[in-house]
Amino acid sequence: MSLLNFLRSRRSAPVARERLQILLAHERNSLRKSDLLGTLREEILAVIARHVTLDPDKVQVKMDRGGDVATLEVDIEIPNDAAALTATA
Amino acid sequence: MAKVLVVTSGKGGVGKTTSTAALGAALAQAGQNVVVVDFDVGLRNLDLVLGAERRVVYDLINVVQGVAKLPQALIRDKRIDTLSLLPASQTRDKDSLTEEGVARVIAELREKFDWVICDSPAGIERGAILAMRFADAAVIVTNPEVSSVRDSDRIIGMLDSKTEKAEKGERVEKHLLVTRYDAARAARGEMLKIEDVLEILSTPLLGVIPESQDVLRASNLGSPVTLSNKTSASARAYIAAAMKLKGQEMEIGMSGKRRLFDKLFGRRAA
């Protein structure tokens, strides 16, 4: 091993620095995303609950986090009479 | 006006308890009225590091649950009479802590002391959350090492979301304390530099504690390093950090102090 290679192999701190920067950029992003989805979920349900009495068993929330996009799927069963009531109100 | 300070890190073994003892002692040695509170219920060690392990009668849980009054549980240091310890319980677990109980104890401590320094347990669970819950300021203890820096980043996120101040839309003042730093290894590229850690965590620096044999010696003796070996490099670094914390406190209402302060420490404080 040449002297230059020997010196380079001892310089591990720049590797640590780069790994951390990449990792933390990703982790901060995904944590923020999960908060966003949680907030959306809560606020959407609160808006609907203002108009219709929600049956917790008839609400399905799915969150999916992919590489580039995340999806929030909210499936709420609303009885017909409740919908009619809101429409006339 | 009392200040509640949490010493936290996420990762274990980076020096939270050592730093709590050293900063608490340094502030008390400077004439401030200080209480250090051990939140590591079930794994208490602040009593041992402060050399008060044989004087514990009542603890934080006893006070939270109303079994003992606060003055009965407080242990006054034999060397510095402005330093007190509120020990954790060794026989219970973190579930014994309730938010209301902790709120009550912290409020009572605020009445009696200038500084309430909470030594957080490692982790991000109940004990750590309650230790930071009512804090005005936080000292994040970090080693210049990848896992410690990553965990500090996580804890910083929690200080911005899980504390009472954060929930009220205010900010917990954050200070980074880098411990076990080896400047020679950093210069050789074998250890993260202070600048690297600061850039990654984007949190203002409170101090750098060099790797030192004096720190282990201090805990062996049960005496904070600022007391057992005042002139050692680590003790001087802790004293400088404590003065910086104290200086900031004085700045409120004394803006003229700022310039001298900046000259002394060279860095802008949070």
Side-chain angles (χ1 to χ4, degrees), chain B residues 6-68:
Chain B
V6 61
V7 178
T8 185
S9 69
K11 190 177 182 300
V14 295
K16 282 181 296 299
T17 302
T18 304
S19 297
T20 302
L23 290 174
L27 284 167
Q29 282 166 288
Q32 302 278 294
N33 228 332
V34 180
V35 63
V36 288
V37 187
D38 193 345
F39 270 82
D40 206 345
V41 178
L43 291 168
R44 76 168 174 225
N45 276 317
L46 190 53
D47 56 333
L48 197 54
V49 169
L50 283 171
E53 70 276 13
R54 294 169 65 179
R55 300 174 61 204
V56 177
V57 182
Y58 293 109
D59 57 51
L60 174 64
I61 301 295
N62 297 145
V63 180
V64 162
Q65 297 183 340
V67 175

Side-chain angles (χ1 to χ4, degrees), chain B residues 257-269:
Chain B
K257 289 259 165 185
R258 180 117 204 176
R259 196 151 294 180
L260 170 69
F261 193 74
D262 281 356
K263 263 187 219 159
L264 283 175
F265 296 103
R267 266 175 205 281
R268 204 181 70 83

Side-chain angles (χ1 to χ4, degrees), chain A residues 23-42:
Chain A
L23 173 74
L24 292 181
H26 178 78
E27 282 187 349
R28 285 171 191 156
N29 212 8
S30 60
L31 278 173
R32 212 172 302 137
K33 264 188 213 157
S34 75
D35 277 342
L36 174 68
L37 287 186
T39 311
L40 283 177
R41 182 200 131 121
E42 267 172 42

Side-chain angles (χ1 to χ4, degrees), chain B residues 109-230:
Chain B
L109 290 171
R110 270 186 198 271
E111 302 282 307
K112 293 179 190 282
F113 296 93
D114 302 320
W115 292 88
V116 180
I117 308 183
C118 305
D119 183 19
S120 172
I124 52 171
E125 287 81 28
R126 188 182 179 80
I129 300 281
L130 283 175
M132 70 167 68
R133 182 78 190 144
F134 304 102
D136 302 309
V139 170
I140 300 123
V141 182
T142 306
N143 290 167
E145 180 271 325
V146 286
S147 49
S148 175
V149 175
R150 181 198 209 174
D151 293 359
S152 291
D153 190 72
R154 189 76 202 278
I155 278 292
I156 289 167
M158 302 186 84
L159 286 164
D160 289 335
S161 61
K162 307 270 182 195
T163 52
E164 199 183 50
K165 276 212 149 185
E167 283 175 8
K168 281 196 274 182
E170 295 167 33
R171 291 183 74 82
V172 171
E173 212 180 273
K174 283 166 293 191
H175 307 275
L176 196 67
L177 186 69
V178 179
T179 55
R180 308 199 68 166
Y181 188 66
D182 186 332
R185 296 198 74 185
R188 290 200 298 268
E190 297 170 16
M191 181 181 270
L192 287 168
K193 290 195 173 70
I194 297 299
E195 295 73 44
D196 295 336
V197 178
L198 289 178
E199 191 196 327
I200 293 167
L201 295 177
S202 22
T203 300
L205 184 68
L206 177 68
V208 179
I209 313 300
E211 171 80 78
S212 157
Q213 300 181 354
D214 299 310
V215 175
L216 178 60
R217 185 171 174 274
S219 77
N220 286 343
L221 298 174
S223 171
V225 71
T226 55
L227 203 61
S228 61
N229 191 354
K230 272 182 213 184

